[in-house]
Amino acid sequence: ISLFSLIQSIFGIGLLIFGTPTLLIYGFSFIEALNILLLPSISISFLQVFGSSLRKHKEIINLKYYFYIYCIPFLIIGLFIVQINYENLDFKKFIGITLICLTAIRLLNTKISYLNLNSERYYIGINILIGIIHGITNMGGSFLSLFVSNLFQTDKQKIRYLIAYCYLVMGIIQLIFIQIFFTTQVTFLNFFYMIIGIAIFQIFGNKLLKTISNFNYQKIISLIIFIYGLILIIG
């Protein structure tokens, strides 16, 4: 939780993309993993967006519109797919394949940039893809990161803000959903994990964001994602 909270504090993603496969490897169920990770993830995302002046940025507002209209409904559809087929889905292999595909996409990122993803004609399909993948695998934030990074290039503040905002909204919906439709409940231990996440962000988050090279991070993160994907598929 501490390590992945540190990564999320800097880049907006970390707890879900790495925490989910890690807990699956350790034998937790998909819903148990969600229940453990969502509160610290939501807390860090809230701190990253709270009071930010970027919420008034015209392009940010436009992207939020597409996010709410197209991503959120398909996130909910994905969650219902999980709920209906929970006993039959092999989450390890499903998420493993998703991570391998994500690695391939990230390695082709320079070619993807030529698609000009900042064109609004791509926004609908991308948001639908992010929503359905996140609902079923909890990995939608990875594709969100790729999309937002392509839009804002080297503007780390905007990248982190938009990723954190979307993660915050999706995380709240996921948490409410699993409390309603599954027997897993939030316990004191969940709040302890949340406190760890908040402490890590407050101590390290903004300080380390200024010192990290986005280029080096992208390469390292791609390698780790690929390794996680292989472990889940083989295991």
Side-chain angles (χ1 to χ4, degrees), residues 4 9 14 54 69 105 120 131 133 138-140 143 147 164 180 183 197 201 225 231:
F4 301 148
S9 295
L54 290 174
I69 297 299
I105 293 172
E120 292 193 15
I133 289 175
N138 215 23
M139 297 289 108
F143 294 90
F147 171 53
I180 294 174
T183 57
F201 174 80
I225 289 171
I231 292 173

Side-chain angles (χ1 to χ4, degrees), residues 8-233:
Q8 183 155 331
S9 295
I10 301 167
F11 299 104
I13 62 171
L15 271 164
L16 300 186
I17 186 174
F18 296 129
T20 305
T22 298
L23 292 178
L24 290 178
I25 290 169
Y26 275 101
F28 289 88
S29 71
F30 180 67
I31 296 301
E32 287 172 337
L34 279 179
N35 199 50
I36 291 170
L37 298 169
L38 281 173
L39 267 183
S41 177
I42 289 169
S43 301
I44 293 174
S45 296
F46 175 79
L47 292 172
Q48 288 170 328
V49 304
F50 180 74
S52 174
S53 60
L54 290 174
R55 70 185 186 279
K56 300 178 181 178
H57 192 277
K58 184 177 179 180
E59 190 172 7
I60 296 288
I61 294 173
N62 187 44
L63 289 167
K64 286 180 181 179
Y65 166 80
Y66 283 92
F67 170 71
Y68 278 111
I69 297 299
Y70 298 104
C71 182
I72 294 303
F74 280 88
L75 168 70
I76 295 171
I77 290 172
L79 289 170
F80 273 114
I81 290 173
V82 170
Q83 194 245 339
I84 294 169
N85 299 283
Y86 187 64
E87 299 299 327
N88 301 318
L89 288 175
D90 187 339
F91 287 99
K92 278 190 178 182
K93 287 186 170 54
F94 199 7
I95 292 175
I97 292 170
T98 303
L99 292 175
I100 296 295
C101 292
L102 174 62
T103 304
I105 293 172
R106 293 180 72 92
L107 292 176
L108 292 171
N109 191 25
T110 53
K111 295 182 180 179
I112 290 173
S113 64
Y114 291 113
L115 291 176
N116 189 23
L117 294 182
N118 58 351
S119 171
E120 292 193 15
R121 62 179 175 168
Y122 292 105
Y123 289 3
I124 295 175
I126 290 170
N127 275 279
I128 290 173
L129 180 67
I130 291 169
I132 198 74
I133 289 175
H134 199 70
I136 298 174
T137 69
N138 215 23
M139 297 289 108
S142 311
F143 294 90
L144 171 67
S145 172
L146 183 66
F147 171 53
V148 174
S149 298
N150 185 275
L151 288 180
F152 296 117
Q153 301 295 326
T154 58
D155 193 332
K156 292 186 290 187
Q157 295 292 344
K158 287 182 180 177
I159 292 171
R160 191 180 74 166
Y161 173 85
L162 192 56
I163 292 172
Y165 181 87
C166 295
Y167 251 151
L168 173 62
V169 176
M170 292 192 295
I172 291 172
I173 292 172
Q174 287 175 288
L175 186 61
I176 293 172
F177 188 92
I178 65 173
Q179 298 307 310
I180 294 174
F181 292 101
F182 292 89
T183 57
T184 305
Q185 299 295 319
V186 173
T187 66
F188 173 78
L189 192 57
N190 296 111
F191 287 100
F192 176 69
Y193 295 143
M194 180 184 74
I195 293 170
I196 291 176
I198 292 172
I200 293 294
F201 174 80
Q202 296 287 14
I203 297 170
F204 300 107
N206 290 321
K207 295 178 182 177
L208 290 180
L209 177 65
K210 299 175 182 178
T211 65
I212 299 294
S213 163
N214 187 58
F215 176 80
N216 289 333
Y217 166 76
Q218 297 291 352
K219 298 299 182 183
I220 295 171
I221 212 84
S222 294
L223 177 61
I224 298 173
I225 289 171
F226 179 73
I227 292 171
Y228 265 112
L230 283 181
I231 292 173
L232 287 171
I233 291 172

